[in-house]
Amino acid sequence: MISRRDTMLGLAGGMLAGGLAAKPAWAENRPSRRPPPAQRKVSSPAVERELARVKAAIGDPELAWLFENCFPNTLDTTVELGRLDGKADSFVITGDIECLWLRDSSAQVWPYLPLAKNDAVLRQVFQGLIHRQARCILIDPYANAFLPDPKGTTPNKWAVDDMTEMKPGVAERKWEIDSLCYPIRLAHGYWRATGDVAPFDEEWRAAMRLVVATFRQQQRKNGPGPYRFQRKAETPTETLALDGYGFPTRKVGMIHAMFRPSDDACLYAFNIPGNLFAVTALRLLAPLWRAVGGEEALAQDALALAAEVATAVRAHGRMTDAAGQEIWAYEVDGFGNRLFMDDANVPSLLGLPYLGCCAADDPLYRRTRARVWSGDNPYFFQGTAGEGVGGPHEGLRMIWPMAIIVRALTSDDDAEIRQCLGWLKTTHAGTGFMHEAFDQDDPSHFTRSWFAWANTLFGELMIDLLARKPALLRAPVR
Protein backbone atom coordinates (compact mmCIF):
# COMPACT_ATOMS: atom_id res chain seq x y z
CA MET A 1 0.00 0.00 0.00
CA ILE A 2 1.43 3.35 -1.01
CA SER A 3 -1.27 5.79 0.04
CA ARG A 4 -2.86 6.64 3.34
CA ARG A 5 -6.17 7.10 1.52
CA ASP A 6 -7.96 3.77 1.34
CA THR A 7 -10.11 3.59 -1.78
CA MET A 8 -13.60 2.37 -1.06
CA LEU A 9 -16.55 1.91 -3.39
CA GLY A 10 -19.87 3.16 -2.08
CA LEU A 11 -22.90 1.34 -3.39
CA ALA A 12 -26.02 3.47 -3.32
CA GLY A 13 -29.08 2.04 -5.05
CA GLY A 14 -30.87 4.25 -7.53
CA MET A 15 -27.90 6.51 -8.26
CA LEU A 16 -27.18 7.03 -11.93
CA ALA A 17 -24.70 9.32 -13.64
CA GLY A 18 -26.29 12.69 -13.82
CA GLY A 19 -28.61 12.35 -10.85
CA LEU A 20 -31.30 10.18 -9.30
CA ALA A 21 -33.23 7.84 -11.56
CA ALA A 22 -35.80 7.33 -8.83
CA LYS A 23 -36.07 8.64 -5.30
CA PRO A 24 -34.11 6.15 -3.13
CA ALA A 25 -35.40 4.86 0.19
CA TRP A 26 -33.04 7.01 2.22
CA ALA A 27 -34.51 10.17 0.68
CA GLU A 28 -37.90 9.35 2.23
CA ASN A 29 -36.68 7.87 5.50
CA ARG A 30 -33.66 9.60 6.98
CA PRO A 31 -32.73 7.87 10.22
CA SER A 32 -29.77 9.29 12.08
CA ARG A 33 -26.46 7.75 11.07
CA ARG A 34 -24.84 8.67 14.38
CA PRO A 35 -23.72 5.90 16.74
CA PRO A 36 -26.15 5.20 19.61
CA PRO A 37 -25.44 7.54 22.55
CA ALA A 38 -23.77 4.81 24.59
CA GLN A 39 -21.32 4.12 21.74
CA ARG A 40 -20.24 7.71 21.10
CA LYS A 41 -16.64 8.49 21.98
CA VAL A 42 -17.36 11.96 23.42
CA SER A 43 -20.67 13.63 24.24
CA SER A 44 -20.74 17.41 24.49
CA PRO A 45 -23.87 19.18 25.76
CA ALA A 46 -22.87 22.33 23.86
CA VAL A 47 -22.47 20.44 20.59
CA GLU A 48 -25.86 18.77 21.04
CA ARG A 49 -27.53 22.14 21.63
CA GLU A 50 -25.80 23.65 18.61
CA LEU A 51 -26.79 20.68 16.48
CA ALA A 52 -30.44 21.10 17.43
CA ARG A 53 -30.36 24.87 16.90
CA VAL A 54 -28.80 24.78 13.46
CA LYS A 55 -30.67 21.73 12.18
CA ALA A 56 -33.98 23.40 13.00
CA ALA A 57 -32.98 26.39 10.85
CA ILE A 58 -32.03 24.37 7.74
CA GLY A 59 -34.92 24.40 5.31
CA ASP A 60 -33.78 21.52 3.14
CA PRO A 61 -34.54 18.19 4.90
CA GLU A 62 -31.64 16.36 3.29
CA LEU A 63 -29.09 19.04 4.16
CA ALA A 64 -30.46 19.05 7.71
CA TRP A 65 -29.96 15.28 7.84
CA LEU A 66 -26.42 15.60 6.51
CA PHE A 67 -25.68 18.23 9.16
CA GLU A 68 -27.03 15.99 11.92
CA ASN A 69 -24.75 13.15 10.82
CA CYS A 70 -21.64 15.16 9.94
CA PHE A 71 -21.24 17.95 12.49
CA PRO A 72 -20.73 15.71 15.56
CA ASN A 73 -18.87 12.98 13.66
CA THR A 74 -15.40 13.82 15.02
CA LEU A 75 -16.61 13.66 18.62
CA ASP A 76 -18.85 10.67 17.99
CA THR A 77 -16.23 8.47 16.40
CA THR A 78 -12.62 9.70 16.44
CA VAL A 79 -11.65 11.19 19.83
CA GLU A 80 -10.08 9.00 22.51
CA LEU A 81 -9.91 10.87 25.82
CA GLY A 82 -7.48 9.87 28.53
CA ARG A 83 -4.43 10.95 30.45
CA LEU A 84 -0.78 10.68 29.48
CA ASP A 85 2.04 11.45 31.91
CA GLY A 86 -0.43 13.09 34.26
CA LYS A 87 -1.92 15.42 31.61
CA ALA A 88 -5.20 15.46 29.72
CA ASP A 89 -4.77 13.61 26.44
CA SER A 90 -6.91 13.53 23.31
CA PHE A 91 -5.89 11.20 20.51
CA VAL A 92 -7.89 12.12 17.40
CA ILE A 93 -7.82 9.70 14.47
CA THR A 94 -8.73 10.70 10.91
CA GLY A 95 -11.53 8.17 10.61
CA ASP A 96 -10.78 4.93 8.80
CA ILE A 97 -7.04 5.38 9.41
CA GLU A 98 -6.38 5.02 13.12
CA CYS A 99 -3.54 7.50 13.45
CA LEU A 100 -3.33 11.17 14.36
CA TRP A 101 -2.39 13.62 11.64
CA LEU A 102 -1.36 17.02 13.03
CA ARG A 103 -3.30 18.70 10.23
CA ASP A 104 -6.44 16.57 10.27
CA SER A 105 -6.82 16.44 14.04
CA SER A 106 -6.61 20.24 14.27
CA ALA A 107 -9.09 20.76 11.45
CA GLN A 108 -11.51 18.12 12.73
CA VAL A 109 -12.13 19.86 16.05
CA TRP A 110 -11.91 23.45 14.76
CA PRO A 111 -15.70 23.92 14.28
CA TYR A 112 -16.29 23.20 17.98
CA LEU A 113 -14.07 26.05 19.21
CA PRO A 114 -16.84 28.67 19.58
CA LEU A 115 -18.64 26.29 21.97
CA ALA A 116 -15.69 25.44 24.20
CA LYS A 117 -15.79 28.28 26.71
CA ASN A 118 -18.97 27.03 28.37
CA ASP A 119 -18.49 23.29 27.95
CA ALA A 120 -16.06 21.43 30.21
CA VAL A 121 -16.09 18.36 27.96
CA LEU A 122 -14.94 20.35 24.94
CA ARG A 123 -12.27 22.12 26.96
CA GLN A 124 -10.94 18.71 27.96
CA VAL A 125 -10.87 17.67 24.30
CA PHE A 126 -8.93 20.78 23.28
CA GLN A 127 -6.56 20.74 26.23
CA GLY A 128 -5.79 17.08 25.61
CA LEU A 129 -5.20 17.61 21.90
CA ILE A 130 -2.93 20.61 22.47
CA HIS A 131 -0.87 18.49 24.89
CA ARG A 132 -0.78 15.54 22.46
CA GLN A 133 0.25 17.68 19.49
CA ALA A 134 3.07 19.29 21.48
CA ARG A 135 4.31 15.82 22.41
CA CYS A 136 4.14 14.73 18.76
CA ILE A 137 6.10 17.75 17.53
CA LEU A 138 8.80 17.10 20.11
CA ILE A 139 9.02 13.47 18.96
CA ASP A 140 9.70 14.60 15.38
CA PRO A 141 8.80 17.98 13.85
CA TYR A 142 9.19 16.47 10.38
CA ALA A 143 6.54 13.77 10.82
CA ASN A 144 2.97 14.24 9.61
CA ALA A 145 1.25 11.33 11.41
CA PHE A 146 1.63 9.68 14.80
CA LEU A 147 0.73 6.51 16.68
CA PRO A 148 -1.42 6.30 19.83
CA ASP A 149 1.57 4.98 21.77
CA PRO A 150 4.34 7.63 21.83
CA LYS A 151 6.81 4.76 22.11
CA GLY A 152 5.19 2.62 19.43
CA THR A 153 7.46 1.16 16.78
CA THR A 154 4.97 -0.10 14.19
CA PRO A 155 4.28 2.69 11.67
CA ASN A 156 1.52 2.63 9.08
CA LYS A 157 1.91 -0.47 6.96
CA TRP A 158 2.79 1.51 3.84
CA ALA A 159 5.54 3.38 5.74
CA VAL A 160 7.36 0.40 7.24
CA ASP A 161 10.21 0.42 4.71
CA ASP A 162 10.52 4.18 4.21
CA MET A 163 14.10 5.38 3.86
CA THR A 164 14.11 8.12 6.46
CA GLU A 165 14.78 8.45 10.17
CA MET A 166 11.70 6.78 11.65
CA LYS A 167 11.37 7.41 15.38
CA PRO A 168 9.18 5.68 17.97
CA GLY A 169 5.67 7.09 17.96
CA VAL A 170 5.75 8.10 14.28
CA ALA A 171 3.21 6.61 11.87
CA GLU A 172 4.47 8.40 8.74
CA ARG A 173 7.27 10.91 8.18
CA LYS A 174 6.33 13.21 5.33
CA TRP A 175 7.52 16.77 5.88
CA GLU A 176 4.64 19.17 5.22
CA ILE A 177 4.69 22.84 6.29
CA ASP A 178 1.04 22.80 7.32
CA SER A 179 1.68 20.01 9.86
CA LEU A 180 3.32 22.63 12.08
CA CYS A 181 0.95 25.47 11.16
CA TYR A 182 -2.28 23.79 12.14
CA PRO A 183 -1.34 23.20 15.82
CA ILE A 184 -0.52 26.92 16.13
CA ARG A 185 -3.85 27.86 14.56
CA LEU A 186 -5.66 25.51 16.94
CA ALA A 187 -3.81 26.74 20.04
CA HIS A 188 -4.41 30.38 19.17
CA GLY A 189 -8.07 29.68 18.39
CA TYR A 190 -8.55 27.90 21.70
CA TRP A 191 -6.91 30.74 23.62
CA ARG A 192 -9.05 33.37 21.90
CA ALA A 193 -12.24 31.36 22.38
CA THR A 194 -11.76 30.51 26.05
CA GLY A 195 -9.04 32.70 27.56
CA ASP A 196 -7.60 29.50 29.03
CA VAL A 197 -3.79 29.32 29.11
CA ALA A 198 -3.55 26.08 31.10
CA PRO A 199 -2.47 23.85 28.16
CA PHE A 200 0.46 26.10 27.27
CA ASP A 201 3.00 24.62 29.64
CA GLU A 202 6.75 24.23 29.19
CA GLU A 203 6.31 21.18 26.97
CA TRP A 204 4.11 23.20 24.63
CA ARG A 205 6.56 26.10 24.68
CA ALA A 206 9.41 23.71 23.82
CA ALA A 207 7.38 22.43 20.88
CA MET A 208 6.78 25.98 19.60
CA ARG A 209 10.48 26.79 19.83
CA LEU A 210 11.11 23.69 17.74
CA VAL A 211 8.47 24.76 15.19
CA VAL A 212 10.20 28.09 14.59
CA ALA A 213 13.62 26.40 14.47
CA THR A 214 12.36 23.82 11.96
CA PHE A 215 10.90 26.50 9.70
CA ARG A 216 14.25 28.31 9.83
CA GLN A 217 16.09 25.06 9.12
CA GLN A 218 13.92 24.42 6.09
CA GLN A 219 14.76 27.76 4.55
CA ARG A 220 17.92 25.73 3.78
CA LYS A 221 20.22 28.71 3.76
CA ASN A 222 23.06 26.63 5.20
CA GLY A 223 22.52 23.32 3.46
CA PRO A 224 19.62 20.91 3.00
CA GLY A 225 19.11 20.19 6.67
CA PRO A 226 18.53 16.80 8.28
CA TYR A 227 15.33 15.72 6.54
CA ARG A 228 15.32 13.28 3.66
CA PHE A 229 12.72 10.76 2.56
CA GLN A 230 12.39 8.04 -0.05
CA ARG A 231 9.89 5.24 -0.55
CA LYS A 232 9.85 2.31 -2.91
CA ALA A 233 6.66 3.12 -4.76
CA GLU A 234 5.08 2.89 -8.20
CA THR A 235 3.53 6.32 -7.69
CA PRO A 236 6.05 9.16 -8.13
CA THR A 237 4.18 11.41 -5.69
CA GLU A 238 5.01 8.99 -2.86
CA THR A 239 8.77 9.59 -2.90
CA LEU A 240 11.37 12.33 -3.35
CA ALA A 241 14.07 12.88 -5.96
CA LEU A 242 17.81 13.37 -5.52
CA ASP A 243 18.54 11.10 -2.61
CA GLY A 244 15.37 12.14 -0.82
CA TYR A 245 16.01 15.90 -0.63
CA GLY A 246 13.77 16.95 -3.53
CA PHE A 247 14.51 18.93 -6.66
CA PRO A 248 16.93 21.91 -6.57
CA THR A 249 15.85 25.36 -5.40
CA ARG A 250 17.34 28.82 -5.20
CA LYS A 251 17.35 29.86 -1.56
CA VAL A 252 15.13 32.95 -1.57
CA GLY A 253 13.79 32.94 2.00
CA MET A 254 10.74 30.72 1.62
CA ILE A 255 10.33 27.49 3.58
CA HIS A 256 10.88 24.25 1.71
CA ALA A 257 8.12 21.64 1.79
CA MET A 258 8.68 18.11 0.54
CA PHE A 259 5.02 17.09 0.62
CA ARG A 260 1.70 18.85 0.11
CA PRO A 261 -1.22 18.71 2.58
CA SER A 262 -2.51 15.84 0.42
CA ASP A 263 0.61 13.87 1.50
CA ASP A 264 1.73 13.95 -2.16
CA ALA A 265 5.27 15.01 -3.01
CA CYS A 266 5.83 18.59 -4.16
CA LEU A 267 7.11 19.15 -7.67
CA TYR A 268 8.76 22.43 -6.64
CA ALA A 269 9.67 22.75 -2.97
CA PHE A 270 8.24 26.22 -2.39
CA ASN A 271 4.56 25.43 -1.91
CA ILE A 272 2.83 28.81 -1.98
CA PRO A 273 -0.32 28.05 0.07
CA GLY A 274 1.86 26.36 2.68
CA ASN A 275 4.24 29.30 2.92
CA LEU A 276 1.36 31.78 3.19
CA PHE A 277 -0.15 29.63 5.94
CA ALA A 278 3.21 29.65 7.74
CA VAL A 279 3.24 33.46 7.63
CA THR A 280 -0.24 33.54 9.16
CA ALA A 281 0.59 30.92 11.80
CA LEU A 282 3.79 32.67 12.91
CA ARG A 283 1.88 35.93 13.30
CA LEU A 284 -0.70 34.11 15.45
CA LEU A 285 2.02 32.52 17.57
CA ALA A 286 3.57 35.80 18.71
CA PRO A 287 0.63 37.21 20.73
CA LEU A 288 -0.20 33.81 22.21
CA TRP A 289 3.43 33.30 23.15
CA ARG A 290 3.50 36.63 24.96
CA ALA A 291 0.23 35.86 26.74
CA VAL A 292 1.61 32.65 28.21
CA GLY A 293 4.83 34.24 29.42
CA GLY A 294 7.23 33.05 26.75
CA GLU A 295 10.49 34.88 26.21
CA GLU A 296 10.19 37.95 24.00
CA ALA A 297 13.04 36.82 21.74
CA LEU A 298 10.95 33.93 20.38
CA ALA A 299 8.00 36.19 19.63
CA GLN A 300 10.28 38.58 17.78
CA ASP A 301 11.91 35.74 15.87
CA ALA A 302 8.51 34.39 14.81
CA LEU A 303 7.44 37.81 13.53
CA ALA A 304 10.76 38.37 11.75
CA LEU A 305 10.52 35.00 10.05
CA ALA A 306 6.93 35.72 9.02
CA ALA A 307 8.01 39.02 7.47
CA GLU A 308 10.90 37.38 5.61
CA VAL A 309 8.75 34.59 4.20
CA ALA A 310 5.98 37.02 3.24
CA THR A 311 8.44 39.17 1.32
CA ALA A 312 9.86 36.14 -0.47
CA VAL A 313 6.42 34.80 -1.40
CA ARG A 314 5.41 38.16 -2.80
CA ALA A 315 8.61 38.36 -4.83
CA HIS A 316 8.70 34.79 -6.15
CA GLY A 317 5.27 33.19 -5.66
CA ARG A 318 3.30 35.00 -8.34
CA MET A 319 2.97 34.31 -12.04
CA THR A 320 1.18 35.65 -15.11
CA ASP A 321 -1.66 33.67 -16.68
CA ALA A 322 -2.44 33.35 -20.39
CA ALA A 323 -4.49 36.54 -20.29
CA GLY A 324 -1.58 38.49 -18.83
CA GLN A 325 -3.09 38.74 -15.34
CA GLU A 326 -1.06 38.22 -12.19
CA ILE A 327 -2.12 35.23 -10.05
CA TRP A 328 -0.62 33.08 -7.31
CA ALA A 329 1.38 30.04 -8.38
CA TYR A 330 0.86 26.77 -6.50
CA GLU A 331 4.57 25.87 -6.34
CA VAL A 332 7.80 27.51 -7.43
CA ASP A 333 11.51 26.73 -7.18
CA GLY A 334 13.07 30.19 -6.93
CA PHE A 335 14.74 29.79 -10.33
CA GLY A 336 11.71 31.13 -12.18
CA ASN A 337 9.92 27.81 -12.71
CA ARG A 338 6.29 27.93 -11.61
CA LEU A 339 3.46 25.42 -11.40
CA PHE A 340 -0.17 26.43 -11.58
CA MET A 341 -2.69 23.98 -10.18
CA ASP A 342 -4.61 23.59 -6.97
CA ASP A 343 -5.29 20.67 -4.66
CA ALA A 344 -8.45 20.14 -2.64
CA ASN A 345 -6.56 19.73 0.61
CA VAL A 346 -6.21 22.86 2.75
CA PRO A 347 -3.97 24.89 2.67
CA SER A 348 -4.87 25.45 -0.95
CA LEU A 349 -5.02 28.49 -3.18
CA LEU A 350 -8.80 28.31 -2.99
CA GLY A 351 -8.74 28.20 0.81
CA LEU A 352 -6.41 31.15 1.50
CA PRO A 353 -9.14 33.40 2.99
CA TYR A 354 -10.50 30.51 5.06
CA LEU A 355 -7.13 30.26 6.82
CA GLY A 356 -6.82 34.01 7.24
CA CYS A 357 -4.03 34.36 4.69
CA CYS A 358 -5.83 37.07 2.73
CA ALA A 359 -9.21 38.74 2.39
CA ALA A 360 -11.83 37.02 0.26
CA ASP A 361 -12.11 40.14 -1.89
CA ASP A 362 -8.35 40.54 -2.41
CA PRO A 363 -7.91 41.10 -6.19
CA LEU A 364 -4.92 38.74 -6.48
CA TYR A 365 -6.88 36.02 -4.71
CA ARG A 366 -10.01 36.63 -6.81
CA ARG A 367 -8.07 36.24 -10.05
CA THR A 368 -6.37 33.11 -8.73
CA ARG A 369 -9.66 31.66 -7.51
CA ALA A 370 -11.23 32.07 -10.94
CA ARG A 371 -8.36 30.09 -12.51
CA VAL A 372 -8.51 27.40 -9.82
CA TRP A 373 -12.18 26.71 -10.61
CA SER A 374 -11.60 26.37 -14.34
CA GLY A 375 -9.92 24.29 -16.98
CA ASP A 376 -6.70 26.19 -16.30
CA ASN A 377 -6.29 23.96 -13.25
CA PRO A 378 -5.36 20.43 -14.39
CA TYR A 379 -7.12 19.02 -11.31
CA PHE A 380 -10.45 20.75 -11.91
CA PHE A 381 -13.07 18.25 -13.02
CA GLN A 382 -16.55 18.67 -14.46
CA GLY A 383 -19.06 15.88 -14.93
CA THR A 384 -22.72 15.06 -14.81
CA ALA A 385 -22.65 14.73 -11.00
CA GLY A 386 -20.89 17.99 -10.23
CA GLU A 387 -17.72 19.98 -10.62
CA GLY A 388 -14.82 20.76 -8.36
CA VAL A 389 -11.17 20.41 -7.49
CA GLY A 390 -9.37 17.15 -6.80
CA GLY A 391 -5.67 16.41 -6.98
CA PRO A 392 -3.12 13.73 -7.86
CA HIS A 393 -3.84 11.80 -4.66
CA GLU A 394 -6.96 10.04 -5.89
CA GLY A 395 -6.38 10.70 -9.56
CA LEU A 396 -8.31 12.17 -12.45
CA ARG A 397 -12.09 12.62 -12.43
CA MET A 398 -12.25 12.51 -8.63
CA ILE A 399 -13.85 15.61 -7.08
CA TRP A 400 -13.30 16.33 -3.39
CA PRO A 401 -16.33 17.59 -1.39
CA MET A 402 -13.81 19.48 0.74
CA ALA A 403 -13.08 21.79 -2.18
CA ILE A 404 -16.78 22.39 -2.79
CA ILE A 405 -17.23 23.23 0.90
CA VAL A 406 -14.25 25.61 0.90
CA ARG A 407 -15.59 27.32 -2.21
CA ALA A 408 -18.86 28.00 -0.37
CA LEU A 409 -17.07 29.12 2.80
CA THR A 410 -15.08 31.69 0.81
CA SER A 411 -17.98 32.96 -1.30
CA ASP A 412 -20.47 35.77 -0.79
CA ASP A 413 -22.47 34.94 -3.91
CA ASP A 414 -25.83 33.31 -3.12
CA ALA A 415 -26.08 31.49 -6.44
CA GLU A 416 -22.57 30.10 -6.12
CA ILE A 417 -23.20 28.90 -2.58
CA ARG A 418 -26.56 27.39 -3.52
CA GLN A 419 -24.88 25.46 -6.34
CA CYS A 420 -22.26 24.13 -3.93
CA LEU A 421 -24.98 22.98 -1.55
CA GLY A 422 -26.71 21.25 -4.43
CA TRP A 423 -23.59 19.28 -5.31
CA LEU A 424 -23.00 18.32 -1.68
CA LYS A 425 -26.62 17.24 -1.33
CA THR A 426 -26.59 14.98 -4.39
CA THR A 427 -23.16 13.34 -4.19
CA HIS A 428 -23.04 11.64 -0.78
CA ALA A 429 -24.39 8.44 -2.37
CA GLY A 430 -27.01 7.87 0.28
CA THR A 431 -24.49 7.48 3.09
CA GLY A 432 -25.36 10.70 4.89
CA PHE A 433 -21.70 11.69 5.12
CA MET A 434 -19.09 13.57 3.14
CA HIS A 435 -16.36 11.54 1.46
CA GLU A 436 -12.79 12.15 0.45
CA ALA A 437 -13.60 12.15 -3.28
CA PHE A 438 -16.28 11.03 -5.73
CA ASP A 439 -16.28 10.35 -9.45
CA GLN A 440 -17.38 13.33 -11.53
CA ASP A 441 -20.09 11.22 -13.21
CA ASP A 442 -20.86 8.59 -10.59
CA PRO A 443 -21.12 9.57 -6.89
CA SER A 444 -21.54 5.93 -5.91
CA HIS A 445 -17.83 5.55 -6.70
CA PHE A 446 -16.18 7.34 -3.80
CA THR A 447 -13.18 7.09 -1.52
CA ARG A 448 -13.21 6.97 2.27
CA SER A 449 -16.61 6.33 3.78
CA TRP A 450 -15.33 7.61 7.15
CA PHE A 451 -13.39 10.85 6.75
CA ALA A 452 -14.05 13.03 9.78
CA TRP A 453 -12.35 16.20 8.53
CA ALA A 454 -14.72 16.52 5.57
CA ASN A 455 -17.70 15.78 7.82
CA THR A 456 -17.03 18.46 10.42
CA LEU A 457 -16.01 20.93 7.71
CA PHE A 458 -19.48 20.48 6.22
CA GLY A 459 -20.92 21.16 9.67
CA GLU A 460 -18.84 24.32 9.87
CA LEU A 461 -20.27 25.46 6.54
CA MET A 462 -23.86 25.07 7.75
CA ILE A 463 -23.14 27.08 10.91
CA ASP A 464 -21.32 29.73 8.89
CA LEU A 465 -24.22 30.09 6.46
CA LEU A 466 -26.76 30.38 9.28
CA ALA A 467 -24.75 33.32 10.59
CA ARG A 468 -23.99 34.96 7.22
CA LYS A 469 -26.92 34.01 5.03
CA PRO A 470 -29.80 32.65 7.11
CA ALA A 471 -32.39 33.18 4.37
CA LEU A 472 -30.33 31.09 1.95
CA LEU A 473 -29.95 28.26 4.46
CA ARG A 474 -33.67 28.22 5.27
CA ALA A 475 -34.67 27.73 1.63
CA PRO A 476 -34.85 24.27 0.02
CA VAL A 477 -31.96 23.49 -2.35
CA ARG A 478 -32.82 22.09 -5.76
Side-chain angles (χ1 to χ4, degrees):
M1 182 175 186
I2 60 174
S3 171
R4 82 176 180 93
R5 311 288 190 183
D6 293 332
T7 297
M8 305 180 68
L9 296 182
L11 303 178
M15 296 293 293
L16 295 179
L20 296 172
K23 187 175 286 187
W26 53 263
E28 297 290 350
N29 180 25
R30 300 183 181 90
S32 173
R33 296 291 170 86
R34 299 180 66 186
Q39 296 178 20
R40 294 171 190 168
K41 295 285 189 180
V42 175
S43 294
S44 158
V47 168
E48 296 302 325
R49 289 192 297 268
E50 184 75 343
L51 192 157
R53 180 186 76 88
V54 177
K55 183 184 176 185
I58 301 174
D60 189 289
E62 195 167 335
L63 288 176
W65 178 59
L66 285 168
F67 177 75
E68 177 187 14
N69 297 329
C70 290
F71 178 56
N73 185 247
T74 287
L75 294 181
D76 283 352
T77 66
T78 70
V79 179
E80 197 68 49
L81 291 179
R83 298 194 69 80
L84 186 62
D85 293 341
K87 299 180 183 179
D89 180 58
S90 301
F91 193 84
V92 182
I93 65 173
T94 69
D96 50 26
I97 306 174
E98 295 187 0
C99 296
L100 179 147
W101 262 256
L102 291 172
R103 168 186 55 254
D104 292 42
S105 62
S106 301
Q108 284 167 238
V109 300
W110 181 261
Y112 308 133
L113 271 175
L115 309 173
K117 184 174 183 178
N118 299 313
D119 190 306
V121 174
L122 285 180
R123 290 198 302 276
Q124 182 183 359
V125 169
F126 284 109
Q127 290 169 359
L129 183 55
I130 290 167
H131 285 314
R132 170 65 76 150
Q133 290 182 339
R135 178 182 292 273
C136 290
I137 292 167
L138 290 172
I139 288 173
D140 187 352
Y142 287 109
N144 56 328
F146 295 84
L147 302 169
D149 181 1
K151 299 179 181 178
T153 56
T154 306
N156 284 332
K157 57 186 178 181
W158 58 87
V160 170
D161 296 321
D162 287 350
M163 291 168 278
T164 190
E165 185 184 358
M166 291 294 288
K167 299 178 180 180
V170 171
E172 186 174 55
R173 193 174 190 250
K174 289 182 172 179
W175 161 236
E176 303 160 8
I177 293 176
D178 62 283
S179 290
L180 298 185
C181 297
Y182 270 106
I184 297 174
R185 180 180 187 245
L186 179 68
H188 182 272
Y190 176 75
W191 169 57
R192 291 300 300 269
T194 67
D196 180 17
V197 296
F200 308 119
D201 57 10
E202 181 51 39
E203 184 176 55
W204 180 84
R205 289 192 289 270
M208 293 303 103
R209 294 186 193 100
L210 185 56
V211 167
V212 176
T214 302
F215 282 161
R216 286 254 181 227
Q217 196 169 56
Q218 284 304 313
Q219 288 181 296
R220 298 192 178 183
K221 294 179 179 178
N222 300 306
Y227 178 80
R228 59 178 297 274
F229 178 99
Q230 288 183 299
R231 173 178 292 174
K232 295 179 180 178
E234 295 177 355
T235 305
T237 52
E238 287 295 315
T239 191
L240 298 176
L242 297 177
D243 199 33
Y245 291 103
F247 291 113
T249 57
R250 175 175 286 147
K251 311 310 180 273
V252 295
M254 277 189 279
I255 302 166
H256 293 68
M258 293 296 98
F259 290 88
R260 300 165 180 165
S262 59
D263 298 337
D264 294 333
C266 295
L267 176 61
Y268 300 134
F270 297 137
N271 179 272
I272 300 306
N275 270 269
L276 288 171
F277 191 17
V279 170
T280 299
L282 289 164
R283 289 172 175 166
L284 294 176
L285 177 59
L288 173 56
W289 185 261
R290 288 167 173 152
V292 302
E295 65 273 16
E296 178 61 20
L298 191 283
Q300 291 293 333
D301 192 25
L303 292 174
L305 178 56
E308 181 183 2
V309 174
T311 298
V313 174
R314 280 280 170 183
H316 301 279
R318 295 177 288 182
M319 61 186 293
T320 302
D321 67 10
Q325 298 187 100
E326 190 176 62
I327 59 174
W328 286 117
Y330 185 72
E331 288 173 359
V332 304
D333 64 359
F335 288 108
N337 296 303
R338 298 172 174 87
L339 170 67
F340 182 77
M341 57 166 279
D342 204 17
D343 192 289
N345 286 266
V346 182
S348 59
L349 293 176
L350 183 66
L352 291 176
Y354 171 71
L355 294 175
C357 300
C358 69
D361 61 356
D362 175 77
L364 179 59
Y365 168 73
R366 297 299 302 176
R367 293 192 298 270
T368 306
R369 175 192 178 91
R371 298 299 181 272
V372 164
W373 210 270
S374 78
D376 291 342
N377 175 8
Y379 298 102
F380 172 75
F381 309 119
Q382 289 178 297
T384 55
E387 65 181 44
V389 177
H393 200 81
E394 290 300 344
L396 303 180
R397 300 176 52 93
M398 300 299 286
I399 297 168
W400 289 51
M402 184 181 297
I404 297 173
I405 295 168
V406 170
R407 187 187 190 201
L409 281 167
T410 55
S411 174
D412 194 48
D413 183 276
D414 286 8
E416 183 178 41
I417 295 170
R418 193 177 294 112
Q419 177 63 82
C420 290
L421 293 176
W423 289 323
L424 296 169
K425 173 182 172 178
T426 57
T427 56
H428 63 88
T431 65
F433 292 101
M434 299 295 105
H435 302 126
E436 180 188 50
F438 64 88
D439 182 86
Q440 63 183 37
D441 294 324
D442 181 8
S444 70
H445 175 205
F446 61 81
T447 62
R448 298 196 71 178
S449 59
W450 179 19
F451 185 32
W453 181 8
N455 288 330
T456 45
L457 187 66
F458 174 79
E460 183 179 357
L461 172 62
M462 295 294 102
I463 295 170
D464 171 75
L465 291 179
L466 182 57
R468 287 196 297 133
K469 295 182 175 290
L472 189 156
L473 196 63
R474 292 188 177 106
V477 175
R478 292 180 172 82

